[in-house]
Amino acid sequence: MKPTVAFLVNGSEGSAMGDRARAFADRLCDRFDVHTAYRASNRTAAIVEFVRFLSRVRPALSYVFDMSYSGVVAGAWHRATSGNILVVDTGDVIGALAKSVGNRGPMGLALTRLLEKFGLNVADMIVVRGTYHRELLRRSGVRCEVIQDGVDLQMFAPQSGTSLRKQLDLEDAITVGIVGSSVWSERLGMCYGWDLVELLHLVDDERLHGIMIGDGSGIERLRERAEKLGVVHRLHFLGRVPFDKLPRHLAAIDVCLSTQTNDLVGAVRTTGKLPLYLAAGRFVLASRVGEAALVLDDDMLVDYAGVVDPTYPHKLAARVTQLLQTPHTLEQRTRSRELAARHFDYDILAARMGTVLDNALGTKTSETIS
């Protein structure tokens, strides 16, 4: 009889965590009886719904996707009342992240740190998505394994970007782009995508265009900055794109940027976009931070200093200028796919998760899969 496992997703069915949970559930259904519940919009109500779900399913193991109140509290409650196993999956040091973003007051920051401490202590196993994060937690005595952000290689197989490039009038352009939510940080005075805008300004070449895929409070800030710098005509804001449409849109980007701050927040991350970029056969320019620094070739890495590095766009500009002079070097499809297959293929990651679940269900002693 297969062990019953409950996936508690701190997000909607269409969220990034929803995609991660489904990818694993689909690949592990022959080994485990997996039941999945997604968080409602009201987080307090979601705790009640999660507790009811767990009481009905009665899993041998509860697996919480993301360190967030609803799933962690419900999973901890069920563990305390039923004695089952609890695993929490997190991609961030959430206390440090909340402080860095600066969008929470002292009370909110304190509660976030308390949640993180509680989650690390109550869980039988922590799963992280970055190698450095695993080593950091293990040094603190936390039982921890790493299962990086993943990608479905078939879904994100390279496509032709010709139709979208024609639609955007970019048939003769070299494009640099990013995918993700852009949230303005008052504390840092920047948001996701700031480096793309500055790059376009520094590389004064009409062949170079930027593509921004995503939404959020930072988009208007980016647009205003682009207008001020006189490059808004070379920056294309495509808004939020459904996950299943992303492969077609990535095909229209020649160079994908993956920028992380060089601090604790950035060091622990893989970021879910990097596997997608590589699987789609894109050339990537990433800051030499976190999982990217471990898996990417040197020609894809750019040094980044501290939290806000004002020199980073200049470093990017130098690299992009070289690429404009030798555009054949952008033909990275085979190598990028190889990196995605080796490090981020969900088929490989699911096998690793199966081992993690087996170990967690079989013993509470310290076992590793390294």
Side-chain angles (χ1 to χ4, degrees), residues 282-314:
R282 301 299 86 197
F283 189 92
V284 176
L285 284 178
S287 52
R288 198 185 300 271
V289 178
E291 210 70 11
L294 299 178
V295 305
L296 294 183
D297 297 332
D298 193 65
D299 64 345
M300 289 185 174
L301 296 170
V302 182
D303 292 334
Y304 191 105
V307 179
V308 180
D309 183 357
T311 69
Y312 189 68
H314 295 269

Side-chain angles (χ1 to χ4, degrees), residues 125-140:
M125 169 78 76
I126 298 293
V127 170
V128 295
R129 294 171 228 149
T131 301
Y132 177 74
H133 199 177
R134 178 186 63 185
E135 303 313 315
L136 179 72
L137 291 179
R138 282 185 177 177
R139 288 199 297 269
S140 299

Side-chain angles (χ1 to χ4, degrees), residues 174 176 199-205 207-208 255 285 313-327 329-330:
I174 299 293
V176 180
L199 169 65
L200 293 176
H201 172 58
L202 292 170
V203 182
D204 187 17
D205 189 322
R207 291 178 299 165
L208 185 68
V255 181
L285 284 178
H314 295 269
K315 300 169 194 173
L316 279 179
R319 298 291 291 276
V320 170
T321 298
Q322 292 176 349
L323 293 173
L324 286 170
Q325 295 169 351
T326 57
T329 58
L330 295 174

Side-chain angles (χ1 to χ4, degrees), residues 341-352:
R342 183 186 309 165
H343 299 284
F344 305 122
D345 182 0
Y346 266 133
D347 289 344
I348 294 174
L349 298 183
R352 189 180 302 167

